[in-house]
Every structure is written in C-alpha cells, then in structure tokens.
Amino acid sequence: GQSLEQPSEVTAVEGAIVQINCTYQTSGFYGLSWYQQHDGGAPTFLSYNALDGLEETGRFSSFLSRSDSYGYLLLQELQMKDSASYFCAVFSGATNKLIFGTGTLLAVQP
Amino acid sequence: SQTIHQWPATLVQPVGSPLSLECTVEGTSNPNLYWYRQAAGRGLQLLFYSVGIGQISSEVPQNLSASRPQDRQFILSSKKLLLSDSGFYLCAWSTTTGGNAFFGQGTRLTVV
C-alpha cells in the first residue's frame, strides 16, 4: 500500500526558515508533491519533484531523495500568511492513486 | 487554462436523504479525477478515483458511489446519507502522471 508520514505541527517565527519533512512508502512512485491549505479552504498546489534534488519556487523549495523515500518542503522568510496546513502527496503509476499525508499544521508567530 | 468547478459550496441534508455532488473540469482532456473527504482538522481521505470515462476505483467501502459519465465530469452520490457522511468533500484533477493536482472549492456537507 501507500503511506506517508509528516510531523503533525510545526511552530516558527516570522522571517525564519522552516522545513517540513515527509517520508513515504509506495509502489510505482512517480513523484512527490506539496500542497498548502488554509483553514476552511481547498488545498492549493505548491511544488512537485519527480527527480532527486531541489526545486525552488520563490520562497518555497522542495527536495526529493528517491533512494531514501524522503522529501521536504522548505519555507523561507516566513510570513504570517504562511500559517496553514501543508500536505505532501505521492502518485503511484502502478495504481493511479494520489495519496496525501496527514498534514503538518504550521503556526507562524510574530 | 484549466479550471475545476465543484458545487454546491455548502449543503445541509437530513439523514436518509440522497446526495449528488458534481465536479467538472475545463481546459484539459483525459484527466485523472479524484474525490476526497476531509474531517475537521484531519487529512484528505481518498474516496474514489478515475482514469477514464466509466472507470471508477473505490478506496473506502461505504454508502457512497461515484460515476464519470463524461471525460471531464465526476459525480459523487449516495442513496441514503448517514450522520457519519458529514465532512468537507473535495474534487481534484491531475495529469496522468499525477505531478500536480488541482482542487475544486470543496463542498461542506452537514448531515442532520
């Protein structure tokens, strides 16, 4: 089957850097993606890694190590508006399932 | 550009009543389509997914069903709602490689 693990909560201060880790197990792995969800809203796509290495999109970066079944989302220059839940997700080419992790609640403090 | 529409945004239904939630995608063809449910403060539970017209895979056996009558239309249904069906229902589409998924606005369902 497929499973993903993320920390349940992370707290950081404005202007800081925070890293949210994700470990996964899946067959037919295609890639790891990250999503942000503000309270009451729908998830929005942030970043996707199909190959090992770092992908940078503005203040957000995402990293993947396929050999370690591990990835992380790095948020720099934290702002209050970054307070939200963050989910990693894996897509299996073997099953066509897109499975999400349990989510990490990020609280940014002033 | 691609867009995804999901409606209604909120719904209050009595126990035992039927349910039909509709989701349509524009600007892409042959997308993978997904229905998720999210309880308050929890993760996204995959309910159904589809890789093509009439092809539905179920993840969670329950009193919900899904159909894909057209390439870009995905419908979630129930004949008789239970209290436990309350939650935030999300429709999403992705490319066939699942690299990124895009979500509808979600439907907040309360069964009373």
Side-chain angles (χ1 to χ4, degrees), chain A residues 30-33 35 37 40-45 47-49 87 90-91 95-103, chain B residues 32 34 36 38 42-44 46 49 51 59 88 90 94-106 108:
Chain A
Y30 264 35
L32 184 72
S33 50
Y35 299 81
Q37 185 181 30
T44 56
F45 170 77
S47 186
Y48 173 65
N49 295 72
F87 295 89
V90 292
F91 179 79
T95 62
N96 285 301
K97 294 182 192 177
L98 180 62
I99 299 295
F100 283 75
T102 51
Chain B
N32 287 350
Y34 307 89
Y36 294 90
Q38 186 176 35
R42 305 292 294 276
L44 282 73
L46 179 62
Y49 62 100
V51 299
E59 276 295 284
F88 191 38
L90 291 153
S94 77
T95 60
T96 53
T97 57
N100 44 14
F102 299 94
F103 286 81
Q105 65 174 347
R108 201 163 301 280

Side-chain angles (χ1 to χ4, degrees), chain A residues 77-89:
Chain A
E77 301 173 16
L78 281 173
Q79 303 175 9
M80 296 298 290
K81 67 178 182 179
D82 296 329
S83 293
S85 292
Y86 292 84
F87 295 89
C88 58

Side-chain angles (χ1 to χ4, degrees), chain B residues 29-104:
Chain B
S29 58
N30 196 33
N32 287 350
L33 295 173
Y34 307 89
W35 279 111
Y36 294 90
R37 179 170 62 198
Q38 186 176 35
R42 305 292 294 276
L44 282 73
Q45 179 188 31
L46 179 62
L47 300 176
F48 301 94
Y49 62 100
S50 171
V51 299
I53 295 174
Q55 300 179 60
I56 308 295
S57 297
S58 172
E59 276 295 284
V60 184
Q62 52 195 356
N63 68 322
L64 297 174
S65 62
S67 62
R68 184 171 178 173
Q70 300 180 46
D71 181 44
R72 289 168 288 181
Q73 184 184 28
F74 206 22
I75 298 171
L76 182 69
S77 304
S78 173
K79 292 182 179 178
K80 289 185 177 182
L81 284 169
L82 307 173
L83 287 175
S84 58
D85 291 324
S86 294
F88 191 38
Y89 288 81
L90 291 153
C91 178
W93 78 270
S94 77
T95 60
T96 53
T97 57
N100 44 14
F102 299 94
F103 286 81

Side-chain angles (χ1 to χ4, degrees), chain B residues 4-34:
Chain B
I4 178 168
H5 303 279
Q6 181 185 344
W7 65 94
T10 60
L11 194 58
V12 180
Q13 292 284 97
V15 168
S17 64
L19 173 73
S20 181
L21 302 181
E22 188 165 343
C23 173
T24 59
V25 181
E26 297 177 357
T28 187
S29 58
N30 196 33
N32 287 350
L33 295 173
Y34 307 89

